[in-house]
């Protein structure tokens, strides 16, 4: 039989054994993800995504919540996964989603890496080092392995598509990237841009444009399932409203992801060192045709990152036009590089160590030992941190002052208040709907994706938390006056107020209202949180 031509799709050779170690490797990758994430729910973004997903399928759940009634930016995720949240509790739904996502990412990553290096365990070694690298080398707070949300599915399809590109199945690669874009427009869309950049800069691996047009057209059509609803979200907003909404979104709410000049210097330094190391390893492996495709995609992500930095500096420093700049910075220019640079660096390191092992065994062995210890140290630190945590990542990240009391208070609310009640909740929390399953006026975490609701979200924050700070210089809602609460009750149908008593005590104040305190009912009972009911005005 004649050997296949380079233009024909190549499948990685599979080990000829009775029990393929690839299934064991797949299981170990999923186990690694479980260890890195830990046993607790919810993760940082899970209350945001899963509460929206449940409301998507059951609008009668928390019917008066402003965020839940805002535009749906991830309709494919809500449609395909959200129904599970109506059948089981949030924690169970989170674990079902996590296992699906982790399994999909593990499978697609392992399949992609097998096209580059078919030896067993290479996928495990590279993802172990790469996932650890993402945790400690990211610049803009991006992550790959965590809770369930839309982008996890998008990355799984993107890696699957890269595997097809490595097998010279470019049409199928574009289609899979189109599916990724349908799940998450920015992750999938930017991966399409990065793969197109790879197609441009890798002439040896590049098929003719005419040959990949079918895949581009089909993938583009599939991506419209996610793109079109997002484009239609802001049809009712004026240009001025859209500009201000982008400004608040970028500079007030998500600057830690989107505005590079606000990033911590240590984050920027460590990422740029990682990017330089990736660039060196990619150059040393430039004769590896398969790795050239992967590194070409990563090069595209680095170009996107540089474009984001140029936009940031141009509109912030040179033109000082923040409104225009915020519209462009809203596109998460650093997202793909945050993930792909550490992953590619890990894979390049594995291949370089294998290449130089025979010519310089001692030096290579020392490098392997050093890198292994570094990765293991990072993994153990992360695993130890997650498995000894006293509260869920969502509660820890949102700075809930007493997570145990917070859960207890929310569960009391769930069991003892009307299902359609609207609550005014502490600013520094993101899990009220997860535990209490009640609507709230506003929460910092749950920023709407459509411009008009985003502007209303900012107004609600001003009416509540910022007013409390203005009145008595406290972030506790105890800073609101009784008349403030009457006004908020009329404007937003608020019936209950949850006060962070620890925060109020720290600021030397207490709730100065005549409204009845319904929790804790016993005056002697100690709790970090109080619940007050806004009753009708006296006649």
């Amino acid at each position: 039989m004649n050997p296949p031509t380079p233009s024909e799709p190549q499948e990685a050779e599979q080990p000829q054994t009775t029990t393929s170690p690839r299934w064991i490797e797949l299981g170990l990758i999923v186990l690694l993800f479980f260890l890195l994430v830990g046993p607790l729910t919810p993760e940082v973004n899970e209350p945001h995504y899963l509460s929206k997903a449940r409301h998507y399928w059951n609008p009668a759940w928390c019917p008066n919540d402003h965020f839940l009634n805002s535009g749906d930016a991830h309709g494919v995720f809500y449609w395909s996964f959200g129904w599970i949240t109506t059948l089981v509790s949030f924690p169970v739904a989170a674990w079902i989603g996590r296992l699906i996502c982790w399994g999909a990412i593990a499978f697609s990553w392992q399949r992609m890496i097998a096209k580059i290096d078919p030896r067993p365990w290479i996928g495990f070694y590279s993802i172990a080092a790469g996932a650890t690298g993402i945790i400690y080398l990211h610049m803009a707070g991006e992550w790959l392995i965590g809770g369930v949300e839309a982008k996890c599915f998008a990355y799984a399809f993107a890696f699957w598509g890269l595997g097809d590109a490595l097998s010279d199945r470019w049409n199928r690669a574009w289609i899979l990237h189109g599916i990724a874009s349908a799940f998450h427009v920015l992750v999938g869309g930017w991966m399409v841009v990065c793969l197109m950049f790879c197609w441009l800069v890798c002439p040896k691996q590049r098929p003719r444009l005419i040959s990949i047009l079918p895949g581009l057209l089909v993938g583009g059509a599939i991506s419209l399932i996610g793109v079109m609803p997002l484009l239609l979200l802001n049809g009712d907003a004026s240009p001025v409203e859209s500009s201000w909404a982008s400004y608040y979104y970028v500079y007030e709410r998500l600057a830690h992801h989107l505005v590079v000049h606000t990033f911590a210097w240590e984050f920027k330094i460590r990422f740029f060192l990682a990017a330089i190391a990736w660039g060196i390893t990619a150059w040393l492996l430039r004769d590896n045709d398969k790795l050239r495709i992967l590194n070409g995609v990563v090069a595209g992500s680095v170009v996107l990152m540089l474009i984001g930095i140029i936009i940031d500096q141009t509109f912030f420093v040179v033109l000082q036009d923040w409104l225009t700049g915020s519209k462009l910075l809203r596109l998460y220019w650093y997202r793909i590089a945050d993930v792909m640079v550490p992953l590619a660096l890990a894979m390049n390191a594995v291949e370089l160590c294998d290449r130089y092992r025979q010519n310089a065994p001692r030096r290579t062995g020392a490098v392997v030992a050093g890198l292994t210890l570094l990765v293991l140290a990072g993994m153990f630190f992360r695993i130890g941190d997650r498995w000894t945590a006293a509260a869920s990542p969502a509660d820890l990240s949102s700075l809930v002052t007493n997570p145990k009391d917070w859960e207890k208070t929310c569960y009391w609310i769930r069991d003892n208040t009307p299902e359609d009640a609207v609550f005014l909740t502490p600013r520094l929390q993101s899990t009220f709907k997860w535990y209490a399953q009640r609507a709230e006026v506003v929460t910092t975490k749950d920023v709407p994706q459509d411009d008009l609701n985003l502007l209303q979200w900012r107004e609600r924050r001003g009416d509540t938390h910022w007013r409390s700070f203005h009145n008595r210089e406290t972030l506790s809602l105890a800073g609101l006056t009784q008349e403030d609460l009457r006004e908020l009750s009329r404007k937003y149908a608020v019936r209950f107020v949850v006060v962070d008593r620890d925060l109020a005590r720290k600021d030397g104040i207490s709730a100065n209202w005549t409204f009845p305190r319904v929790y804790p009912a016993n005056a002697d009972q100690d709790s970090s949180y109080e619940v007050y009911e806004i009753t009708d005005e006296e006649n």
Side-chain angles (χ1 to χ4, degrees):
M1 178 182 292
N2 295 328
T5 64
S7 62
E8 293 178 349
Q10 301 285 326
E11 290 290 348
E13 295 180 3
Q14 299 293 324
Q16 300 301 315
T17 58
T18 304
T19 303
S20 173
R22 297 206 178 278
W23 289 106
I24 301 174
E25 180 186 46
L26 183 68
L28 286 177
I29 293 174
V30 175
L31 175 62
L32 171 68
F33 294 165
F34 171 61
L35 294 174
L36 291 175
V37 172
L40 300 178
T41 61
E43 266 290 331
V44 173
N45 290 338
E46 283 177 330
H48 179 95
Y49 272 88
L50 295 187
S51 63
K52 202 81 162 71
R54 176 178 287 183
H55 185 79
Y56 178 90
W57 282 91
N58 181 16
W61 182 78
C62 293
N64 302 313
D65 188 275
H66 175 251
F67 166 69
L68 297 183
N69 288 315
S70 65
D72 296 321
H74 303 288
V76 173
F77 171 76
Y78 302 142
W79 177 82
S80 62
F81 181 78
W83 58 273
I84 293 176
T85 64
T86 67
L87 303 177
V88 297
S89 67
F90 278 139
V92 173
W95 277 111
I96 292 172
R98 289 178 182 188
L99 292 175
I100 294 172
C101 287
W102 296 347
I105 291 173
F107 173 81
S108 59
W109 174 264
Q110 182 192 51
R111 178 179 178 275
M112 179 183 76
I113 294 304
K115 314 300 181 182
I116 299 171
D117 190 331
R119 292 175 299 162
W121 311 113
I122 300 300
F124 176 78
Y125 298 148
S126 56
I127 196 63
T132 305
I134 294 171
I135 293 169
Y136 296 105
L137 299 177
H138 70 82
M139 179 178 70
E142 185 65 11
W143 54 268
L144 174 66
I145 305 304
V148 57
E149 62 174 80
K151 70 178 180 182
C152 302
F153 291 95
Y155 276 117
F157 280 106
F159 292 155
W160 193 359
L162 288 180
D164 279 324
L166 288 164
S167 297
D168 200 25
R169 290 187 170 92
W170 286 82
N171 278 304
R172 200 161 74 176
W174 299 122
I175 293 172
L176 289 165
H177 278 70
I179 298 174
S181 301
F183 269 98
H184 197 289
V185 171
L186 287 176
V187 168
W190 281 141
M191 288 297 290
V192 169
V193 172
C194 292
L195 186 58
M196 182 59 74
F197 181 87
C198 169
W199 180 83
L200 290 171
V201 300
C202 297
K204 187 176 179 181
Q205 291 79 23
R206 181 171 67 215
R208 292 182 305 157
L209 178 60
I210 190 66
S211 69
I212 61 173
L213 278 179
L216 285 170
L217 292 174
V218 174
I222 293 173
S223 71
L224 292 178
I225 299 172
V227 173
M228 289 306 298
L230 191 62
L231 294 177
L232 295 174
L233 279 181
N234 299 316
D236 296 331
S238 69
V240 173
E241 289 171 328
S242 292
S243 294
W244 280 109
S246 294
Y247 175 85
Y248 299 137
Y249 185 88
V250 170
Y251 288 107
E252 289 191 0
R253 174 62 185 88
L254 291 165
H256 57 291
H257 289 311
L258 304 174
V259 186
V260 70
H261 68 261
T262 67
F263 297 169
W265 276 105
E266 58 268 26
F267 282 27
K268 289 185 278 193
I269 290 172
R270 72 187 187 186
F271 177 82
F272 280 110
L273 289 176
I276 291 170
W278 162 78
I280 293 172
T281 59
W283 175 257
L284 292 174
L285 292 164
R286 63 190 182 278
D287 58 338
N288 186 315
D289 291 345
K290 299 296 186 181
L291 269 176
R292 189 181 298 171
I293 292 179
L294 175 61
N295 286 319
V297 170
V298 180
S301 74
V302 173
V303 170
L304 290 176
M305 176 201 70
L306 294 174
I307 292 173
I309 294 173
I310 292 171
I311 293 171
D312 175 271
Q313 293 301 293
T314 299
F315 287 95
F316 180 78
V317 177
V318 180
L319 301 178
Q320 296 186 348
D321 183 359
W322 290 22
L323 284 180
T324 303
S326 63
K327 282 190 170 184
L328 297 173
L329 291 177
R330 200 168 174 172
L331 297 177
Y332 286 83
W333 297 92
Y334 319 112
R335 165 162 277 170
I336 304 302
D338 253 12
V339 169
M340 294 305 296
V341 167
L343 288 176
L345 176 60
M347 187 60 200
N348 289 349
V350 169
E351 292 302 299
L352 279 174
C353 288
D354 181 66
R355 173 174 293 192
Y356 293 111
R357 182 176 54 187
Q358 292 183 346
N359 295 334
R362 288 187 178 182
R363 189 177 301 174
T364 303
V367 171
V368 170
L371 292 177
T372 301
L373 287 174
L374 193 63
V375 171
L376 288 176
M379 288 174 55
F380 289 151
F381 183 83
R382 165 73 173 205
I383 292 170
D385 181 62
R386 283 305 181 96
W387 285 77
T388 59
S392 71
D395 284 334
L396 291 176
S397 69
S398 59
L399 304 179
V400 170
T401 54
N402 188 324
K404 294 300 180 183
D405 274 5
W406 174 245
E407 288 188 41
K408 186 177 179 181
T409 302
C410 290
Y411 291 144
W412 182 91
I413 291 170
R414 181 194 63 189
D415 297 335
N416 295 277
T417 63
E419 293 183 359
D420 61 350
V422 178
F423 283 73
L424 191 58
T425 54
R427 170 178 174 268
L428 298 179
Q429 63 79 27
S430 64
T431 54
F432 180 76
K433 286 189 282 290
W434 181 277
Y435 299 127
Q437 301 192 28
R438 295 294 184 271
E440 49 194 329
V441 176
V442 67
T443 179
T444 301
K445 178 69 176 178
D446 289 342
V447 55
Q449 294 296 304
D450 57 307
D451 290 342
L452 292 181
N453 277 306
L454 193 152
L455 293 174
Q456 293 176 20
W457 165 84
R458 188 176 186 273
E459 180 183 355
R460 286 168 176 253
R461 293 179 70 205
D463 285 345
T464 56
H465 304 115
W466 296 346
R467 182 185 295 187
S468 179
F469 185 81
H470 176 76
N471 287 350
R472 302 178 72 180
E473 295 186 355
T474 179
L475 293 177
S476 169
L477 292 172
L480 295 171
T481 67
Q482 182 140 324
E483 184 53 39
D484 289 335
L485 293 179
R486 293 282 189 203
E487 179 188 338
L488 293 172
S489 179
R490 291 190 294 269
K491 188 173 183 179
Y492 299 123
V494 179
R495 181 169 173 182
F496 296 93
V497 185
V498 184
V499 176
D500 187 331
R501 187 157 62 174
D502 286 352
L503 192 57
R505 287 170 178 166
K506 179 182 176 181
D507 294 331
I509 66 171
S510 60
N512 188 22
W513 313 321
T514 61
F515 300 124
R517 190 184 73 175
V518 295
Y519 178 88
N522 188 338
D524 298 328
Q525 183 179 348
D526 188 30
S527 173
S528 295
Y529 298 91
E530 297 175 314
V531 181
Y532 291 83
E533 183 175 7
I534 303 176
T535 53
D536 294 335
E537 295 187 56
E538 297 79 10
N539 294 326

